[in-house]
Every structure is written in structure tokens, then in C-alpha cells.
Amino acid sequence: MDLQKQDPHPQAAPAGSELRASDAERDRIADILHDALAEGRLTADEHAERVEGVLRAKTVGELEVFIRDLPAAHRLGPGPIHTPAPRRPTAGAIPIDPDDNVVAVFSSAVRKGRWRAGRRIHAYAIFGSVEIDLSEALFDHQQVVVKSFAVFGAVEIRVPENVSLRGMGGGVLGSFEVATLDSGEPEAPIVYVDGWAVLGSVEARPRRGKVVADILDRVQRKVDKGLRKHLGH
């Protein structure tokens, strides 16, 4: 039996309207509804009903339904369609050897605060615990791999909420959980969590309220540059 035979009918990537909605996108739609209520375009009951629907919406397409009859939606055009981050790093982008090793054997180890994240980080939790907090880290590279091995131990990874997050590992009698995250900014770092949890756990998720500030700085610089060019300066 050929266990490696590929699916002859691979699934196509989801359309933009089928992508999972982020909290930022829900907030954007809620703001439009709030303005429509203030302008008298929606009654209080209509506003409440739509906001409730926004909170329940799962995809970008479901969100757009609630504003398609409002002028703001047509002025802004369709909601931004973000290209999802690749499932795996670009070939050759990540070195074979780690830039940093975080090891906990019958102990605990932590990387947190304002530190510089390399392209490859290895985390080993053997009868111990490792915490890797990237929420305030400096990203010199767009693609970062955190290779995690938890053997009767736990590896906990936290990232800023405006990066993309992907999981590539698995568990053997253990738990390997990565909260997939898509950033709306094309230049945002992508954190790939790889490895194995053997009778242990690997968990990666965003830390709410934490963002990579330099992404916002780069975006503002682009806006300022475009404005200066438009004004002829």
C-alpha cells in the first residue's frame, strides 16, 4: 500500500471572503455600524442586532454582510483581503543551526522582555518548562522558526498579536497546539512553531495587547513618504 500517495483533488486556497475574521476586522465593522447609528442610518434595534451578528461572525464574508447597505462600505471599498502567510518558511530562509538554544532539564527556562529574536530558536523542555515570549522581542528577520521539543515537559510560546503564526509540529501522547494567526500587514514577521510534544505539551498563541511596534513605524514612514511625494516635497 502506498501511504505516500497524494490527494488527486487537492483543496484550493480559500477565497478572501472565506478567510477567518480577526478581532481587528470585527472592530472595523463595529466602528462602521456605530457611525451609521450616530448618523441615523440604523435604528438602535438594528444596530444591536448587527453588532451581535458581527461578534458571532466567523469569516470576512460574513462580516461584510452587515455593512453592504451602508455608504461607508462603498466609500471604503471591499474589506481588505489579506494573503495568508505561507504554511512553511521560504526555502533557504532559515539556517540549519539555531541562533539560540533554550534548555530546561528538570528545571525552567525563560526568554522574555526586549530581546533580539534570531531566525531559528530551539527549545528543549525535558521534565521541565520553557517559556519563550516574543511579544516584546526585536525582529530582524521576517521568518522565525521556533523548534520545540517537550518530553514530559512544557514549552509555552507567546507572540505579538500583529504577526502571523503557523504550526508545523505534532504530539505523541502529548498536546501540540498553535493558534493560527494571520497578520493584516504584509511586512509582519511570520513565526513558525515546529517540533514534537512527547508526553508533554507545546502551546503557541498571541499575547493580546502586544504588537510589533516597528511594523507600525514602517507603515507610517510609507504613508509619510507617499504624502510628501503627492505634495511634491
Side-chain angles (χ1 to χ4, degrees):
M1 180 182 295
D2 184 4
L3 297 180
Q4 301 299 322
K5 185 167 67 175
Q6 297 181 350
D7 185 353
H9 304 291
Q11 294 183 348
S17 62
E18 296 174 352
L19 294 176
R20 302 285 291 192
S22 68
D23 289 340
E25 288 162 334
R26 292 188 183 89
D27 290 343
R28 182 180 72 91
I29 300 300
D31 288 342
I32 292 175
L33 294 176
H34 177 77
D35 291 342
L37 174 64
E39 294 169 356
R41 300 183 188 276
L42 295 176
T43 66
D45 289 341
E46 289 172 333
H47 175 261
E49 181 180 356
R50 294 193 187 196
V51 169
E52 183 179 353
V54 166
L55 296 177
R56 292 198 307 264
K58 301 294 186 183
T59 67
V60 173
E62 290 175 0
L63 286 176
E64 292 173 350
V65 169
F66 297 104
I67 61 169
R68 62 186 178 189
D69 61 344
L70 298 175
H74 299 283
R75 289 198 300 269
L76 295 174
I81 297 177
H82 306 309
T83 301
R87 293 174 60 93
R88 294 187 175 277
T90 304
I94 306 298
I96 297 176
D97 297 325
D99 298 307
D100 192 8
N101 285 304
V102 188
V103 182
V105 180
F106 288 98
S107 62
S108 62
V110 178
R111 288 287 189 280
K112 64 188 302 184
R114 199 69 171 164
W115 61 293
R116 196 170 296 277
R119 285 176 292 177
R120 179 184 285 270
I121 303 166
H122 283 188
Y124 302 89
I126 303 173
F127 290 94
S129 65
V130 170
E131 178 186 355
I132 296 178
D133 190 341
L134 295 164
S135 62
E136 297 180 2
L138 298 171
F139 288 88
D140 292 330
H141 309 282
Q142 188 175 25
Q143 299 184 58
V144 174
V145 168
V146 182
K147 190 85 170 183
S148 305
F149 300 94
V151 181
F152 289 96
V155 176
E156 181 181 283
I157 301 160
R158 296 293 178 264
V159 302
E161 64 177 356
N162 63 338
V163 307
S164 293
L165 180 62
R166 292 287 184 269
M168 305 187 298
V172 178
L173 298 179
S175 172
F176 191 99
E177 297 184 4
V178 176
T180 299
L181 186 66
D182 272 309
S183 174
E185 171 55 50
E187 297 182 0
I190 308 170
V191 178
Y192 296 93
V193 179
D194 197 1
W196 291 93
V198 181
L199 292 168
S201 66
V202 174
E203 180 191 67
R205 59 184 175 84
R207 189 177 292 283
R208 296 301 178 189
K210 295 292 186 178
V211 298
V212 181
D214 60 338
I215 297 178
L216 306 180
D217 293 341
R218 289 199 298 271
V219 172
Q220 185 60 50
R221 286 197 295 270
K222 283 186 176 181
V223 172
D224 293 342
K225 182 179 179 180
L227 183 59
R228 288 196 299 270
K229 183 177 180 181
H230 178 72
L231 296 176
H233 295 300

